[in-house]
Amino acid sequence: MATPMIRGGGRTVAGGLRERSKARRLGNIRRAARELFVEKGYDATTTRAIAKRAGVGLGTLFTYAADKRDLLFLIFNDELIELAAQAFAQSSSAPVLADRLVAVFHDFYAYFTRQPNLARFLLRELTFYTHGPEAHRFQTHRDRIVAGVAAVVARARADGIIVATGDDMLVARAIFDIYSAEVRRWLADDQHEPNLAHGLTALRRVLQVLVDGLRPQR
Amino acid sequence: MATPMIRGGGRTVAGGLRERSKARRLGNIRRAARELFVEKGYDATTTRAIAKRAGVGLGTLFTYAADKRDLLFLIFNDELIELAAQAFAQSSSAPVLADRLVAVFHDFYAYFTRQPNLARFLLRELTFYTHGPEAHRFQTHRDRIVAGVAAVVARARADGIIVATGDDMLVARAIFDIYSAEVRRWLADDQHEPNLAHGLTALRRVLQVLVDGLRPQR
DNA sequence: GGATTATTTTGAACGTGTTCACTTTTGGCC
DNA sequence: GGCCAAAAGTGAACACGTTCAAAATAATCC
């Protein structure tokens, strides 16, 4: 467990040997897993290889991560949090919502470009890992993005560049859905060397459809 | 291979024993796989159990399907084709595009309701199985739906209930993206007994956002 | 220090999907 | 019928993710 149980008169000491070696082991596992995943991709990396490189027994891996997928998350969790924070920290003042959104999603696209071997798989897990032992983590990540998009939408509404719809979350979800599908399409198409500009252009075009709507203008 | 090689003076006869027993075996495998998948779900069904119930050796399975996922497709391919055909055959004349679309997607939702154990997995494969040995089949299925939606959009444009955008495929993709994400969300939320009405209501609401757009109306 | 208890590590063992060298069956030929 | 080559079938064997009972280690108490 992450926080050791305290029983009797404080059985576990903060700077104790146990805690230190756990931290060191966790670090080794993270590093080993990251190296191998990035180097070989997810499927081609075996848990045995990770254990070996980390210098721990096979079983030990599964006391630090619930399963192989969670190992992936163990690595990228922090990065994804920081990525989302950075993406939403910028505040574009572009007069068109689609441009503000593309500015945000640009960071995500760039991130995936940097992880070509893992991007597709990571995306799949982010999309479909909803029922495993550590599913809440991915769930949290999705929610964070949707919430961030909702904030962008709210600001755009306050700036008067879009109309009030009464439900920013609904709009945010639609935008997130389109982004998710587009980034997937992008990675599936130019799989070998995904072209950032192409991907963002395609994304912008679809988002603009959403912004414009389909109704006859009166 | 599906089509036997013809060499010399026509080595393979149409009504020969070989063809007949291949057809019978394929039927047995399909039936066994279907029963087990529906009964136990995808993960809990082993290839050994399928082979046993079909009365064939384990290795034989993999001469009829490239892998376990393809086995799933072997079963549902025909059904999915028919489902799409039926869904797009109806021609709603509702005055709002969102309603016409919901009428189409209703059939898909209803289909997933009938396969609760498999729906989520089938959906995942339809979304992400883009690089396996038989990926083109799923690709085809996706393309078929997008094309169908594009046709609905084109008709709506002809009927004057939406404006011309110049690119129906782009709009169709946006709609498909939203549908895919919504159906996934629906199945993930009420996983145990998905409520058809709830799902369609949520879908309609998001689609209406797309139809209305977000721009300030002049 | 030594004894005791809680925590952590570990790899052998299990169940799984998949492969492939071998066997069996089929169709054409005489 | 008997013979041969092509096709199809088969399960032992492999590699993998994961589990868990046993061993090793650390913390606490005297």
Side-chain angles (χ1 to χ4, degrees):
Chain A
M1 299 305 129
T3 44
M5 304 212 187
I6 310 290
R7 289 188 28 180
R11 198 141 190 151
T12 313
V13 182
L17 176 55
R18 200 158 256 176
E19 278 218 346
R20 269 183 290 124
S21 57
K22 265 186 78 166
R24 186 162 33 78
R25 274 200 160 84
L26 180 58
N28 289 344
I29 290 172
R30 281 169 108 126
R31 188 167 35 73
R34 159 175 283 284
E35 287 171 10
L36 286 168
F37 279 146
V38 169
E39 187 180 323
K40 296 181 183 303
Y42 182 84
D43 285 331
T45 301
T46 69
T47 53
R48 283 168 178 81
I50 296 173
K52 190 166 212 172
R53 186 172 293 200
V56 301
L58 178 56
T60 308
L61 276 193
F62 296 96
T63 67
Y64 286 86
D67 55 18
K68 193 184 175 187
R69 286 194 282 198
D70 194 47
L71 215 41
L72 193 69
F73 194 82
L74 199 63
I75 299 167
F76 290 103
N77 192 13
D78 297 347
E79 274 188 31
L80 288 175
I81 289 177
E82 197 192 358
L83 173 64
Q86 170 195 324
F88 288 111
Q90 62 186 284
S91 54
S92 163
S93 304
V96 178
L97 178 57
D99 290 323
R100 294 188 182 186
L101 291 171
V102 168
V104 169
F105 290 127
H106 170 274
D107 289 5
F108 290 97
Y109 271 64
Y111 180 77
F112 288 127
T113 307
R114 263 176 273 132
Q115 324 276 344
N117 285 337
L118 283 175
R120 234 190 349 233
F121 191 85
L122 192 58
L123 215 56
R124 188 175 89 190
E125 293 314 302
L126 285 169
T127 308
F128 276 100
Y129 188 35
T130 55
H131 290 273
E134 298 287 337
H136 62 281
R137 293 183 173 173
F138 291 92
Q139 186 66 50
T140 302
H141 183 66
R142 284 192 295 273
D143 292 347
R144 199 162 32 231
I145 297 178
V146 173
V149 172
V152 173
V153 170
R155 200 160 69 80
R157 202 156 39 70
D159 292 352
I161 65 171
I162 61 170
V163 295
T165 64
D167 191 349
D168 291 342
M169 280 307 263
L170 193 67
V171 176
R173 266 171 27 194
I175 291 168
F176 177 73
D177 294 348
I178 286 174
Y179 151 71
S180 304
E182 274 303 318
V183 76
R184 222 150 48 220
R185 208 169 266 132
W186 173 56
L187 289 172
D189 286 358
D190 339 57
Q191 69 181 100
H192 286 307
E193 193 172 334
N195 182 314
L196 191 58
H198 286 183
L200 288 174
T201 302
L203 174 65
R204 198 199 175 292
R205 216 180 293 144
V206 189
L207 286 176
Q208 191 62 52
V209 170
L210 175 66
V211 171
D212 289 341
L214 305 174
R215 265 231 259 244
Q217 311 283 334
R218 276 148 301 175
Chain B
M1 302 301 131
T3 45
M5 304 212 188
I6 309 289
R7 287 187 32 182
R11 198 141 189 154
T12 313
V13 182
L17 176 54
R18 197 158 256 172
E19 278 217 346
R20 270 183 290 124
S21 58
K22 264 186 79 169
R24 186 162 36 77
R25 274 198 160 85
L26 180 58
N28 289 343
I29 289 173
R30 280 169 109 126
R31 188 166 37 74
R34 160 175 281 283
E35 286 172 9
L36 286 168
F37 279 146
V38 168
E39 187 179 325
K40 297 183 184 303
Y42 182 83
D43 285 331
T45 300
T46 68
T47 53
R48 283 168 178 79
I50 296 174
K52 191 167 211 172
R53 185 172 295 201
V56 301
L58 178 57
T60 307
L61 276 193
F62 296 95
T63 65
Y64 286 86
D67 55 17
K68 193 184 175 187
R69 288 194 281 198
D70 194 46
L71 216 40
L72 193 69
F73 194 81
L74 200 61
I75 298 166
F76 290 103
N77 192 10
D78 297 347
E79 273 188 32
L80 288 175
I81 289 177
E82 197 193 358
L83 174 64
Q86 170 195 325
F88 288 110
Q90 62 186 285
S91 55
S92 163
S93 304
V96 179
L97 177 58
D99 290 322
R100 294 187 183 188
L101 292 170
V102 168
V104 168
F105 290 127
H106 170 274
D107 288 5
F108 291 96
Y109 272 64
Y111 180 78
F112 288 128
T113 308
R114 262 176 273 133
Q115 324 276 346
N117 285 337
L118 284 176
R120 234 192 348 237
F121 190 84
L122 192 57
L123 215 56
R124 188 175 88 192
E125 294 314 304
L126 285 170
T127 308
F128 276 100
Y129 188 36
T130 54
H131 290 273
E134 297 288 336
H136 62 282
R137 294 183 172 174
F138 291 93
Q139 187 66 49
T140 303
H141 183 67
R142 284 193 296 273
D143 291 346
R144 199 161 34 227
I145 296 179
V146 173
V149 172
V152 173
V153 170
R155 201 160 68 81
R157 200 156 41 67
D159 292 352
I161 64 172
I162 61 171
V163 295
T165 64
D167 193 348
D168 291 341
M169 280 308 265
L170 193 67
V171 176
R173 264 170 29 193
I175 292 169
F176 178 73
D177 294 347
I178 288 176
Y179 151 72
S180 303
E182 275 302 318
V183 76
R184 221 152 48 221
R185 208 170 265 132
W186 173 57
L187 289 172
D189 287 357
D190 336 62
Q191 68 179 104
H192 286 308
E193 193 172 335
N195 182 315
L196 191 58
H198 286 183
L200 289 175
T201 303
L203 174 64
R204 196 198 176 290
R205 215 181 294 143
V206 190
L207 285 177
Q208 191 62 52
V209 170
L210 176 65
V211 171
D212 289 342
L214 306 174
R215 266 231 256 245
Q217 311 285 334
R218 277 148 297 172

